[in-house]
Amino acid sequence: MKKILPFLLAVFIISCQGNAQKDQKEVKEKQEEFEVSKTEEEWKAELTDAEYRVLRKAATEPTFSSPLNDIKEPGTFVCAACGNELYETEHKFMSGTGWPSFDRAIDGGVAYGTDSKLGYQRNEVHCARCGGHLGHVFDDGPRETTGKRHCINGIAMDFEPKEK
């Protein structure tokens, strides 16, 4: 019994340094200033409820729900919150995951962070101009290009066809 008590105390102390501290760090990181910065009330007034949940609260849209999944025509995918250019159609591919997927972003269009909402660390992608949550990036993309899969919520983007 005397050996178990110190062990349990050590486990308790280590577990107290888990996600709560990481979450506080992430909150501080997300408070950084962006070129487009608005209050939560302003974002709520400008975005639909679904856009607000994804872009500002890091929710995930249902799989296969985005009409952007089927777009193959040349053009640019832009942030639904601020219009920042994010991805080009030429770097889009069918991943089979149910979300628009790209192997790379437009230079300077996105920024990266981490989240551990699911209990493990993931690489988050957000708009470099307004900080809106777009999705996540994984290392299971096309090997013949970058090997990356930017798995992006369609509701977080709008599509602008290339002018002919």
Side-chain angles (χ1 to χ4, degrees), residues 82-97:
C82 71
N84 186 38
E85 293 184 346
L86 306 169
Y87 297 96
E88 296 288 344
T89 305
E90 68 183 290
H91 300 296
K92 185 174 183 280
F93 66 96
M94 295 304 289
S95 66
T97 61

Side-chain angles (χ1 to χ4, degrees), residues 3-49:
K3 291 181 181 181
I4 292 175
L5 190 56
F7 174 77
L8 291 175
L9 184 60
V11 169
F12 176 76
I13 290 171
I14 291 169
S15 68
C16 286
Q17 296 179 18
N19 288 335
Q21 285 74 13
K22 288 179 190 173
D23 291 344
Q24 289 301 318
K25 182 180 177 190
E26 288 173 12
V27 167
K28 287 179 185 175
E29 288 173 2
K30 290 188 185 227
Q31 289 174 346
E32 65 184 276
E33 288 297 314
F34 292 95
E35 180 184 339
V36 175
S37 186
K38 301 179 182 190
T39 66
E40 291 304 305
E41 291 75 27
E42 289 172 321
W43 285 122
K44 282 181 183 179
E46 291 182 22
L47 301 171
T48 67
D49 288 343

Side-chain angles (χ1 to χ4, degrees), residues 42-125:
E42 289 172 321
W43 285 122
K44 282 181 183 179
E46 291 182 22
L47 301 171
T48 67
D49 288 343
E51 288 171 335
Y52 178 79
R53 282 191 305 276
V54 170
L55 285 159
R56 307 315 307 170
K57 297 298 178 186
T60 302
E61 72 184 355
T63 58
F64 300 101
S65 66
S66 176
L68 298 185
N69 280 334
D70 300 324
I71 290 182
K72 294 178 177 78
E73 68 184 278
T76 305
F77 294 84
V78 300
C79 177
C82 71
N84 186 38
E85 293 184 346
L86 306 169
Y87 297 96
E88 296 288 344
T89 305
E90 68 183 290
H91 300 296
K92 185 174 183 280
F93 66 96
M94 295 304 289
S95 66
T97 61
W99 292 281
S101 296
F102 304 86
D103 68 352
R104 71 195 82 168
I106 293 173
D107 285 341
V110 302
Y112 303 94
T114 58
D115 81 47
S116 53
K117 279 178 25 179
L118 298 180
Y120 60 93
Q121 192 165 320
R122 297 183 296 172
N123 295 316
E124 180 183 17
V125 180

